[in-house]
Amino acid sequence: MVAQSKIGVAIVGTGFGQKIHIPGFLNHPRTEVVAVYNRDWEKAKAIAHTYNIPHYANELEPILSLPEVDGVSISTPPFLHYEMAKAVLAARKHLLLEKPMTMNGSQIRELYHFARSQGVVATADFEFRFVPAWQLLAEYLEGGYVGKKRLIKIDWLVTSRANPERPWNWYSRKDMGGGALGAVGSHVFDYISWLFGPIKRLCSSLNCAIPQRPDPEAGGELKPVDGEDNILLLLELADGTPISLTMSSVGKAASRMVDEIRRQFREIPGLLKGEGKPDTARCVSISTNAALREMILPGVIAVASPVCVGLLLGAQALGGMLAGSLVVGIVFALFMSNSGGAWDNAKKYIEKGDIEGESKGGDTHAAAVIGDTVGDPFKDTTGPSMNILIKVMSIVALILAPLL
């Protein structure tokens, strides 16, 4: 057997590049990290010494001129990708480009055609395509194991930006390619296309939950954030299958779930290959406990409100509060339960073909899918929760009333 030569790789960008790319390339039998770039020469030198990388520089040109560099992995902030990628391709080096790859579609199309004309490989870092469990899912889907797709629901909730004290930087700015849509959403769009098929249309809502962050380079001054950290997407595939997608980088329980899953992969033999048995009860417990913690404050408010009103304003005020909560709460409960059920049934009505001229995949059906996405939590959770609120306040008021 002829031994395969190693591929010399240069690392450009040492934030995510140092955390993920360098260890990955060092551990792969076919790759060797031969150079590293950082705009700060001292940092480049320190990283090179830490990982025994022979070459380092604070400019890109010296890196690209090295004959031992076969490919370049770019993981700098997105607004720098386009010019750097062009320079890499011009030097006829292969390219691995972190996402979001560029700031717009025209730039990435230009890079694609340039790579082809140069005869080199340029690819995006969509690593989830190479996770064994995901590849197994792709096989199951292609083989029809799960049957006909009716609805795809995706929740991607992480905690990477949940701390409001996390420093302000390029990620906070849309004009620099910041925000969860590029960082996380790019992966989602890729694996939707890979696993389920092309997307026909979509609508979205982007939200920034933490509008300011401290800038350490400006003495901790709070600076505005316009990069989104919450994303709601409704999509329709070319075959008419609806997708409901929720993404957030400011979740609170997700990191504990991720840590637990990683722990199980490390400690349970054969789990990654599908041969071991996961501890699902532990994951359910993490999710349940997180949800219960979030309910502590609303529960305290429901119990304390009648007590405070009764003790401070007297029995008549407590009676007025109780009457108001009953009138308003019952109206809201009925509204949400009935309207949620109506929206849910409207989608089913169209899918059964009971509306002449309308069918699955049409504009009316797409609107009904949106209504169903809102309607399900309306009728199943939000509406019934109003009944619980009314009962708790009523019981507390009845216990307190004789004491006033």
Side-chain angles (χ1 to χ4, degrees):
M1 180 181 293
V2 179
Q4 293 179 312
S5 60
K6 286 196 172 185
I7 301 170
V9 179
I11 304 298
V12 176
T14 52
F16 193 71
Q18 182 180 1
K19 182 180 179 181
I20 301 297
H21 288 224
I22 290 178
F25 284 119
L26 289 176
N27 282 282
H28 196 281
R30 285 291 317 283
T31 55
E32 179 182 10
V33 181
V34 297
V36 62
Y37 160 90
N38 187 291
R39 62 181 179 177
D40 185 315
W41 191 86
E42 289 296 334
K43 287 184 179 179
K45 178 181 177 180
I47 293 169
H49 288 173
T50 299
Y51 295 96
N52 296 317
I53 300 171
H55 302 284
Y56 54 90
N58 62 348
E59 295 182 358
L60 193 56
E61 185 177 349
I63 297 288
L64 298 179
S65 65
L66 294 170
E68 54 264 58
V69 172
D70 301 305
V72 179
S73 175
I74 296 180
S75 57
T76 53
F79 68 96
L80 299 173
H81 286 182
Y82 174 64
E83 294 297 337
M84 285 184 163
K86 278 206 306 183
V88 170
L89 298 177
R92 294 187 181 276
K93 307 291 186 181
H94 302 295
L95 173 65
L96 176 67
L97 190 56
E98 261 299 339
K99 36 70 201 157
M101 292 183 285
T102 57
M103 297 296 291
N104 55 63
S106 62
Q107 290 180 344
I108 196 60
R109 282 189 289 270
E110 180 185 339
L111 293 178
Y112 167 77
H113 291 296
F114 188 27
R116 295 195 65 180
S117 68
Q118 292 288 85
V120 295
V121 174
T123 187
D125 186 21
F126 287 131
E127 67 269 22
F128 291 101
R129 286 180 175 247
F130 303 96
V131 176
W134 289 57
Q135 292 178 335
L136 180 61
L137 173 60
E139 292 179 14
Y140 283 158
L141 291 168
E142 186 177 3
Y145 180 81
V146 300
K148 178 178 172 55
K149 303 186 297 291
R150 296 180 179 177
L151 172 67
I152 300 168
K153 180 170 175 55
I154 301 171
D155 292 321
W156 191 319
L157 310 175
V158 297
T159 61
S160 58
R161 311 290 296 178
N163 183 0
E165 298 302 316
R166 182 161 180 170
W168 181 93
N169 59 8
W170 66 266
Y171 195 98
S172 303
R173 295 176 53 174
K174 280 186 178 180
D175 62 341
M176 289 187 170
L181 186 61
V184 179
S186 52
H187 279 300
V188 177
F189 280 101
D190 176 65
Y191 70 64
I192 287 176
S193 177
W194 169 43
L195 296 172
F196 305 113
I199 297 168
K200 179 181 178 182
R201 56 183 172 176
L202 61 85
C203 63
S204 67
S205 174
L206 310 181
N207 169 262
C208 180
I210 302 177
Q212 291 181 317
R213 291 186 182 274
D215 182 2
E217 296 184 2
E221 176 188 349
L222 291 177
K223 290 192 174 180
V225 177
D226 62 0
E228 70 286 335
D229 45 35
N230 287 319
I231 303 165
L232 300 176
L233 279 166
L234 293 174
L235 309 97
E236 183 183 350
L237 298 181
D239 64 4
T241 304
I243 300 178
S244 172
L245 169 61
T246 303
M247 290 181 284
S248 177
S249 60
V250 291
K252 295 184 178 180
S255 64
R256 289 188 290 274
M257 186 71 75
V258 170
D259 291 341
E260 172 61 21
I261 292 171
R262 288 174 175 169
R263 182 195 67 79
Q264 292 190 28
F265 276 131
R266 288 194 308 269
E267 300 178 6
I268 300 177
L271 183 58
L272 192 59
K273 298 180 180 179
E275 299 170 357
K277 185 177 180 181
D279 184 1
T280 55
R282 175 61 182 157
C283 294
V284 171
S285 175
I286 291 173
S287 180
T288 302
N289 290 336
L292 290 174
R293 279 194 297 271
E294 293 298 313
M295 288 302 298
I296 291 175
L297 180 59
V300 169
I301 293 174
V303 173
S305 295
V307 174
C308 292
V309 171
L311 294 178
L312 295 176
L313 302 177
Q316 290 184 334
L318 177 61
M321 177 185 180
L322 184 59
S325 66
L326 285 169
V327 171
V328 176
I330 289 175
V331 171
F332 265 101
L334 292 174
F335 160 69
M336 288 185 282
S337 296
N338 291 327
S339 59
W343 286 330
D344 181 32
N345 291 331
K347 180 176 74 74
K348 297 174 182 176
Y349 200 67
I350 295 169
E351 291 174 347
K352 288 176 62 179
D354 290 337
I355 298 181
E356 185 177 353
E358 299 294 344
S359 61
K360 185 176 180 180
D363 290 339
T364 304
H365 180 257
V369 170
I370 297 174
D372 179 51
T373 304
V374 178
D376 274 340
F378 253 44
K379 69 181 179 64
D380 294 333
T381 56
T382 312
S385 71
M386 298 302 299
N387 299 326
I388 304 300
L389 175 63
I390 293 170
K391 289 179 181 178
V392 170
M393 295 182 68
S394 300
I395 290 172
V396 173
L398 289 173
I399 293 173
L400 181 65
L403 305 177
L404 299 177

